[in-house]
Amino acid sequence: MPPRRRDRRKARDPSPRPSGAKSAPSASGVRLALLAPLLLLVLVLAALGFYGLPSRSPPHPQTLQTTAHSVYERGLVKRDVSAREILAEHARISENRSQRNFPNPILAYVTPWNSKGYDMAKFFSAKLTHVSPVWYDLKSDRNRLVLDGEHNFDAKWVSEVQSSGSLVVPRIVLEAFPAVVLLEKKQKAKAIDLIVSECRDKGFDGIVLESWSRWAVYGVLDDPELRYMALQFVKQLGEALHSVSSKSSSRRLELIYVIPAPRMLEPNNQDFGPKDLLQLVDSLDGFSLMTYDFSGPQNPGPSAPLEWVRHSLTTLLAAKGSSRSNSRMIFLGINFYGNDFLLSRGTGGGAITGRDFVHLLEKYKPSLQWDEKSLEHFFIYSDEGVKHAVFYPTLMSLSVRLDEARNWGTGLSIWEIGQGLDYFFDVLFRVQKREWAK
């Protein structure tokens, strides 16, 4: 399999592996090793745009077209789909917004740089169990910890989403130096207190935590002692959140942990493996599995080949002692973005949203092709003599992956709902056994 590519969450990456450690060994000599890559990391973070994320733009009014018939009843979920049909139908959704046939949890991300997602989260909140606004970063500021992102908080929006039954669990990226959070007892307690206090003060229902990719950059995952400490930190955070009740639902606060999809046939230290999952499963409420961003400009191709999705689930659930109940804790990643790759004049290209996809269909009127290997649609077009390949989700590709999630008993995590086409919500939440149309 190709090397791990940066996902569309804005910048992040790597993956982890099984940790067989039973007890926490001494941490002597570790601090110096951790500080060595510090300068390099700062340069990498700056290059990838970790700093200065744009503030959330205010939600804009949505005028969605509704119809009495679902995308299934309109015969739109099929391999043989045309650009003309997508252009005519993508903005029309079923008027039934309360029906929810998918039995497992659904987590939807929304981002400050794509305000449409905020409106969609409210409009479809009855169909979503969890909504995660991408708001926070826990950072090191000299010798103290700072939870950055409070300026993104929108109390009215949070209340409106919660009022329809969805849990609001903002994402927090742990950017603080591991030498501080993992090795200094007072700072570890401070990090946990900052997170729990923010949930209590703002009325959140828990959080989504992302830290694995940062720890991979620092080399934490290659050291058995540090890996153990990292997993212990996540467990302690989960237990601290569970000790507090949500104001909106009276349920205990939840912790969902972001994990990368295994990339290789044989896991390596960067992979989050089955033993890691077993160590955390009793202290967490779910795992947001990033089964997307399989391809990149250096290796153009599908975003989430079904074979790779199956490999990821098989690998994570392979440990002795793992059970079907563990699969129910996984939120299988579904991408609502696509990619426009260059096929000539070198490599290049990048992510596109639904708006970009519609523009390409209108301009080039391409012929969509169904890839039987990855089970995704794509098309080729030329612009000023340069060939492009576009991979973007369709009703058919989403339906195939939704059926896979049902077969495994997993939930879903959508990155991210502001980037998709409106009628995607029909296919995600009106599921039934069917024979696929040709």
Side-chain angles (χ1 to χ4, degrees):
M1 291 186 178
R4 171 87 184 153
R5 298 292 176 183
R6 183 167 60 89
D7 84 10
R8 298 277 68 82
R9 300 179 175 237
K10 196 90 183 163
R12 62 152 56 76
D13 242 309
S15 325
R17 121 156 211 162
S19 167
K22 300 293 184 182
S23 59
S26 168
S28 60
V30 168
R31 295 171 189 258
L32 188 58
L34 278 175
L35 293 175
L38 175 57
L39 180 59
L40 175 61
L41 179 69
V42 171
L43 295 174
V44 170
L45 292 178
L48 291 179
F50 279 83
Y51 299 105
L53 289 180
S55 300
R56 182 174 79 80
S57 54
H60 55 277
Q62 279 290 309
T63 52
L64 298 175
Q65 303 175 38
T66 60
T67 174
H69 303 291
S70 73
V71 291
Y72 299 113
E73 295 165 329
R74 283 143 61 195
L76 302 178
V77 186
K78 56 188 178 182
R79 296 179 178 90
D80 185 13
V81 62
S82 68
R84 178 183 297 178
E85 187 174 70
I86 294 173
L87 291 173
E89 298 287 347
H90 73 87
R92 300 174 64 216
I93 61 171
S94 171
E95 61 190 19
N96 187 343
R97 289 186 286 145
S98 60
Q99 184 173 355
R100 185 177 182 276
N101 291 332
F102 188 75
N104 299 329
I106 298 173
L107 166 67
Y109 289 97
V110 295
T111 60
W113 51 90
N114 198 342
S115 63
K116 179 180 178 181
Y118 291 88
D119 296 317
M120 302 304 271
K122 290 192 298 183
F123 195 78
F124 292 104
S125 58
K127 297 175 182 288
L128 305 170
T129 58
H130 300 72
V131 176
S132 182
V134 177
W135 283 348
Y136 292 99
D137 300 289
L138 184 62
K139 298 180 177 180
S140 297
D141 183 7
R142 296 175 183 170
N143 59 351
R144 68 190 187 101
L145 295 173
V146 176
L147 187 61
D148 183 45
E150 185 177 355
H151 62 280
N152 287 316
F153 174 66
D154 184 333
K156 184 174 183 292
W157 177 83
V158 170
S159 177
E160 289 173 343
V161 173
Q162 290 174 331
S163 66
S164 296
S166 295
L167 303 181
V168 176
V169 286
R171 190 192 72 170
I172 298 178
V173 178
L174 189 61
E175 293 187 355
F177 303 138
V180 173
V181 174
L182 301 182
L183 299 180
E184 298 183 20
K185 188 175 181 180
K186 289 185 178 179
Q187 293 290 65
K188 179 193 296 186
K190 178 63 175 177
I192 292 174
D193 181 64
L194 281 172
I195 293 171
V196 174
S197 296
E198 188 72 3
C199 288
R200 185 189 293 114
D201 296 343
K202 298 296 192 298
F204 297 137
D205 301 292
I207 69 158
V208 173
L209 178 69
E210 182 173 343
S211 64
W212 201 264
S213 60
R214 305 307 192 269
W215 289 340
V217 172
Y218 275 103
V220 169
L221 307 178
D222 297 315
D223 186 307
E225 298 179 14
L226 293 175
R227 192 188 192 99
Y228 175 86
M229 293 178 186
L231 292 171
Q232 287 299 305
F233 172 82
V234 177
K235 291 180 67 172
Q236 290 170 24
L237 176 59
E239 291 162 2
L241 288 166
H242 290 169
S243 69
V244 178
S245 296
S246 164
K247 293 179 181 178
S248 69
S249 65
S250 298
R251 298 167 45 166
R252 66 184 191 178
L253 299 184
E254 295 191 2
L255 174 58
I256 297 170
Y257 192 55
V258 177
I259 57 175
R263 299 295 301 183
M264 304 297 178
L265 292 177
E266 294 297 327
N268 58 43
N269 285 344
Q270 305 303 305
D271 289 324
F272 185 94
K275 292 182 181 178
D276 298 310
L277 187 144
L278 285 183
Q279 287 196 48
L280 296 180
V281 72
D282 292 332
S283 303
L284 273 64
D285 301 280
F287 300 88
S288 180
L289 176 61
M290 298 189 292
T291 38
Y292 37 72
D293 226 22
F294 179 81
S295 303
Q298 303 299 323
N299 61 320
S303 300
L306 192 64
E307 183 180 353
W308 173 60
V309 173
R310 289 172 176 163
H311 164 72
S312 301
L313 291 170
T314 300
T315 300
L316 279 172
L317 300 171
K320 185 177 180 180
S322 190
S323 66
R324 189 72 174 181
S325 62
N326 292 346
S327 69
R328 290 198 294 270
M329 292 187 66
I330 294 176
F331 292 79
L332 185 68
I334 301 289
N335 57 292
F336 269 18
Y337 67 90
N339 285 290
D340 181 346
F341 296 122
L342 297 181
L343 296 182
S344 57
R345 295 188 185 176
T347 59
I352 60 171
T353 66
R355 182 184 303 173
D356 304 320
F357 180 66
V358 167
H359 172 72
L360 291 172
L361 295 183
E362 291 173 337
K363 183 175 181 179
Y364 297 101
K365 299 177 176 54
S367 175
L368 278 77
Q369 303 176 53
W370 177 252
D371 179 12
E372 291 289 352
K373 187 173 181 180
S374 68
L375 302 187
E376 292 187 23
H377 279 105
F378 71 98
F379 65 80
I380 307 293
Y381 75 93
S382 292
D383 181 57
E384 297 182 353
V386 179
K387 279 192 174 182
H388 295 243
V390 173
F391 289 82
Y392 186 83
T394 59
L395 297 175
M396 181 65 180
S397 68
L398 291 172
S399 296
V400 169
R401 283 148 185 80
L402 189 59
D403 280 352
E404 192 70 19
R406 287 173 63 90
N407 291 338
W408 281 88
T410 72
L412 300 174
S413 60
I414 306 168
W415 187 271
E416 54 94 358
I417 56 176
Q419 297 176 347
L421 301 178
D422 294 345
Y423 71 171
F424 283 177
F425 286 88
D426 264 16
V427 76
L428 283 172
F429 309 125
R430 293 179 62 84
V431 185
Q432 56 197 17
K433 289 294 183 181
R434 65 190 87 79
E435 291 295 329
W436 294 115
K438 297 292 184 181

